[in-house]
Amino acid sequence: MPLAPRVAVVIPCRNDAQYLEACLAALAAQTHPADRVIVVDNASTDASADVARRFGAVVVSEPAVGIWPAAARGYDEALEGADIIARLDADSRPHPDWVARLVRAFVSDPTLGVLTGGAEFYGGSPLQNYLGERWYIGGGHYWIRKWLGIPLVFGSNFAMRTRVWQRVRDQVDRGNAKIHDDLDLTIRLRSSDGVRYDPQLRMPVSARPVQTLGGLSRRVFKVASTFAASWPEGAAWRRAALEGEQRGRVDAAGEWGSEGEEWTPEYGS
């Protein structure tokens, strides 16, 4: 067992070389460096792949254009040699202690399966940044938790144990480019996966999604599309039934079987 969990950071990227460079520079300045940085080149026609290689990232290609195909390709790549899969977007600019915070959280709580945080928008007006943080992302966290019973996984700022991805990788709609990948992932998660939202785990991200009414409207509309694509998995009654079935299996067995075993590394002092 490793003394600390091995962290692979996945970054889906399509024609975002300039943003990607700033993101990778921030990752290079982490107080606790990631073990691997995986950039998924999603059919880019700019210098994104060259930028990634210059920073020493592993570059994998996903020709099917879309955030879910690209993200899933990266998560699959990260399964080999990682204990924790962390996720950023190309326009994320992680604080220097971001990876360290993730590692501390997973080490201190073996039941933690998924950890997500909030956003700090940059590049917009003060009003745009405020609305993005409090209404777009903040509202999403509030309402999704009300509906699903677990926090919304924010795609620009989260991490999960590899066992979580292994469980859901064939359940998510990974080939669907027309839905929110992070919401679809959240819908497939269960309370037993150990999903937690940390308001102190904040990620600077570009205000591009909230700078135009059209862009924001498209993203909000995709929420309905995502629930429709996953129906009835995202229905409250369906989730309650599945959670009840799972609790019944645990109670009957008296303990988790192999699918529910927690990864507990041996840590040094």
Side-chain angles (χ1 to χ4, degrees), residues 73-263:
R73 174 72 177 86
Y75 302 155
D76 287 346
E77 179 70 22
L79 284 176
E80 184 177 353
D83 303 300
I84 296 171
I85 303 171
R87 160 73 184 279
L88 294 175
D89 283 323
D91 62 0
S92 300
R93 296 181 181 175
H95 293 296
D97 63 345
W98 181 67
V99 175
R101 281 176 172 267
L102 297 177
V103 170
R104 285 199 300 269
F106 283 98
V107 168
S108 63
D109 184 1
T111 68
L112 178 64
V114 184
L115 180 65
T116 189
E120 298 172 355
F121 280 84
Y122 66 82
S125 68
L127 178 59
Q128 289 170 337
N129 294 343
Y130 177 84
L131 291 176
E133 294 173 19
R134 300 299 179 90
W135 184 79
Y136 178 54
I137 301 299
H141 279 301
Y142 177 82
W143 289 110
I144 294 302
R145 185 163 196 164
K146 283 280 189 181
W147 182 256
L148 297 180
I150 59 174
L152 170 67
V153 174
F154 176 34
S156 296
N157 181 19
F158 84 93
M160 59 183 166
R161 295 192 194 269
T162 52
R163 63 168 171 80
V164 174
W165 178 242
Q166 287 170 330
R167 186 183 73 76
V168 302
R169 64 187 297 268
D170 294 325
Q171 299 177 20
V172 298
D173 201 356
R174 56 189 290 153
N176 193 338
K178 298 180 179 180
I179 63 175
H180 285 298
D181 66 301
D182 46 5
L183 176 55
D184 185 50
L185 174 61
T186 307
I187 290 170
R188 315 298 175 161
L189 298 175
R190 300 288 176 262
S191 58
S192 58
D193 289 313
V195 188
R196 192 172 87 205
Y197 168 71
D198 180 359
Q200 302 304 314
L201 185 70
R202 299 180 63 79
M203 178 63 62
V205 293
S206 171
R208 292 182 294 176
V210 297
Q211 285 185 304
T212 66
L213 181 59
L216 181 58
S217 298
R218 284 193 300 273
R219 286 167 172 80
V220 173
F221 178 76
K222 284 174 70 175
V223 172
S225 300
T226 305
F227 273 105
S230 64
W231 193 264
E233 191 76 4
W237 60 267
R238 173 68 172 165
R239 294 181 63 82
L242 290 173
E243 294 282 3
E245 291 174 4
Q246 189 174 60
R247 283 194 297 271
R249 288 195 299 269
V250 174
D251 292 342
E255 60 181 5
W256 283 108
S258 59
E259 290 184 357
E261 290 176 355
E262 297 294 346
W263 170 79

Side-chain angles (χ1 to χ4, degrees), residues 6-64:
R6 297 160 296 181
V7 181
V9 178
V10 172
I11 309 172
C13 182
R14 175 170 167 79
N15 294 333
D16 250 346
Q18 184 175 357
Y19 281 104
L20 180 63
E21 183 160 10
C23 177
L24 294 175
L27 281 176
Q30 293 291 297
T31 58
H32 184 122
D35 295 274
R36 276 205 306 168
V37 176
I38 301 168
V39 173
V40 183
D41 181 17
N42 196 205
S44 296
T45 57
D46 68 355
S48 293
D50 293 334
V51 169
R53 293 188 183 96
R54 177 154 50 85
F55 277 88
V58 176
V59 178
V60 296
S61 298
E62 175 48 62

